[in-house]
Amino acid sequence: MKYTWKLIFIVILLSACSENLGNTQWNNTVTNEIQLVLTPTTRPEPTPTPTQKPHQIVSYESKKWKEYNARSTEGLAKGTVFDMTFDKDGMLWVATGNGVSKFDGENWHTLTRGDGLIDAVANSIAVDMDGIVWIGTDNGVSRFDGDSWQTYTTADGLAGNNVRTIAISQDGTVWVGAREYQDSFGFHSGGITSFDGDTWRTYTKDDGLKSNNIYALLFNKNDKLWAGTAAGLFSFNGQFWQPALDKDWHEYFGDIGVRVLAEAPDGAIWFRTETLKIVRYDGVNWDISFTYDASYILHPITICVDKNFHTWIGGWEHNEGSGQVLTMYDGTKWVVYENLPFRHVFKIIETQDGYIWLGTSSGVYRYNPN
């Protein structure tokens, strides 16, 4: 009988511990009849449950916005603005669906296929410290040094020709991410390729990536390279690619795709998943508590965290004609901008003077948040 009571006591103790452990996984061992030893297994902290944040609606005020588009600005390329960057001289470079445009603060100048660009659709753009412009297109990479053009495709060593993203390291190495897909024309390869000025080197699933479908590349302020892929978030250790989360990605974020990458002033990486979650990762903890209201922006496309740690998100218009394609989280509430004169926001960047620049379906817009 005394052993029966001991057994009952152990069962009750195990049951109580199990109820208090929540989602943490444990290896349980019982010794000396009633001694309980609990050994935690390695696992990241569970993400918090998203909470609905209050909203503030701000209507469009033309005095706060400066508009640059093909209708009002001579020299700016027609078409959607997919990417933007500033060079070391303060020139704004814009990648559009109809060429590349440069803005010196007063005038626009556009470069197209007739000038040497390999394809009219420019998806991404980056400028190195020497002022050389690198442009990722639907048909390869174009390099422009201010006078002459050079083109690179899979025949030269690129992982794929459908280039979605370009990033440049502090030592000047150019990194290119391409999309892998199948269409009526056949199979199109993808992956990541680096170029040191002489040699292209390709990284695929054989080098640690779990997908050759690359959406975004980002060098943080410590020159660490991150990649957003169809199989999640990865970082490069100098030789191989490593997953940022070594557990089941689905368990935390649903779909595994990482479409957008941005870095905050504190070094945290922000990204958007395929299931439209907005996630902050500080290298240890994952936070999805910044969930926005999808009734305002259904499909986020771009993220920017400004120097005041305000998180800007641009995307597709949810309700046609509403102009609700831009929202900002100020730390306590979401500010939603409505009745804007464009339907989609593809790129958001901040300049040192605090202006927010938007690449949109209707050109470039500069916003003064002050």
Side-chain angles (χ1 to χ4, degrees), residues 24-329:
T24 306
Q25 295 178 345
W26 301 84
N27 296 325
N28 301 332
T29 304
V30 179
T31 61
N32 297 329
E33 296 181 321
I34 62 171
Q35 181 182 1
L36 183 64
V37 180
L38 300 177
T39 305
T41 60
T42 302
R43 178 173 176 177
E45 291 295 324
T47 54
T49 301
T51 56
Q52 190 69 37
K53 301 292 193 304
H55 288 78
Q56 175 186 352
I57 305 297
V58 177
S59 294
Y60 173 73
E61 297 182 29
S62 59
K63 65 180 181 180
K64 282 184 169 288
W65 295 84
K66 175 65 176 177
E67 177 181 6
Y68 303 96
N69 59 45
R71 298 186 305 276
S72 62
T73 305
E74 184 178 355
L76 177 62
K78 297 180 180 179
T80 297
V81 175
F82 294 119
D83 198 11
M84 301 185 299
T85 190
F86 283 90
D87 64 22
K88 64 179 181 179
D89 297 322
M91 301 285 187
L92 176 65
W93 290 85
V94 178
T96 81
N98 193 34
V100 171
S101 294
K102 180 182 73 171
F103 182 54
D104 62 9
E106 295 182 0
N107 301 306
W108 290 89
H109 178 65
T110 293
L111 303 167
T112 65
R113 292 182 66 181
D115 298 294
L117 186 63
I118 189 174
D119 193 276
V121 180
N123 301 308
S124 57
I125 191 165
V127 184
D128 66 23
M129 291 303 297
D130 294 324
I132 297 173
V133 184
W134 297 83
I135 304 146
T137 77
D138 277 357
N139 197 33
V141 171
S142 285
R143 175 188 182 274
F144 179 59
D145 64 9
D147 296 311
S148 60
W149 292 84
Q150 191 166 358
T151 293
Y152 303 96
T153 66
T154 52
D156 302 289
L158 279 183
N161 286 334
N162 191 281
V163 176
R164 314 307 297 177
T165 178
I166 296 179
I168 302 176
S169 67
Q170 293 178 7
D171 66 4
T173 302
V174 179
W175 292 78
V176 177
R179 187 167 71 98
E180 179 180 270
Y181 64 101
Q182 180 91 29
D183 63 12
S184 58
F185 296 99
F187 174 78
H188 303 266
S189 62
I192 298 173
T193 317
S194 66
F195 182 62
D196 61 7
D198 296 312
T199 305
W200 290 96
R201 178 179 176 182
T202 293
Y203 300 87
T204 62
K205 289 189 287 187
D206 294 335
D207 304 288
L209 294 169
K210 294 183 179 179
S211 171
N212 294 333
N213 198 353
I214 312 302
Y215 298 133
L217 293 173
L218 171 71
F219 275 102
N220 66 11
K221 59 184 178 183
N222 296 322
D223 211 32
K224 183 175 182 177
L225 180 58
W226 296 87
T229 79
L233 180 65
F234 289 77
S235 64
F236 187 62
N237 67 5
Q239 295 293 328
F240 298 98
W241 290 89
Q242 300 171 316
L245 182 63
D246 60 359
K247 297 293 181 180
D248 183 8
W249 189 276
H250 288 275
E251 182 179 354
Y252 296 92
F253 308 118
D255 198 290
I256 58 180
V258 172
R259 288 276 184 172
V260 179
L261 290 176
E263 184 184 19
D266 61 358
I269 301 299
W270 288 70
F271 60 91
R272 192 215 90 189
T273 72
E274 202 74 67
T275 48
L276 308 185
K277 289 184 174 67
I278 303 299
V279 183
R280 177 185 182 274
Y281 176 54
D282 63 8
V284 177
N285 301 304
W286 306 81
D287 192 349
I288 60 170
S289 63
F290 305 92
T291 301
Y292 62 98
D293 189 338
S295 65
Y296 292 103
I297 296 181
L298 179 64
H299 194 100
I301 299 173
T302 181
I303 302 173
C304 173
V305 184
D306 68 23
K307 60 186 177 182
N308 296 316
F309 289 90
H310 295 163
T311 304
W312 297 81
I313 300 174
W316 293 89
E317 186 178 58
H318 178 55
N319 298 312
E320 186 174 352
S322 68
Q324 293 171 337
V325 294
L326 180 68
T327 185
M328 182 268 289
Y329 180 60

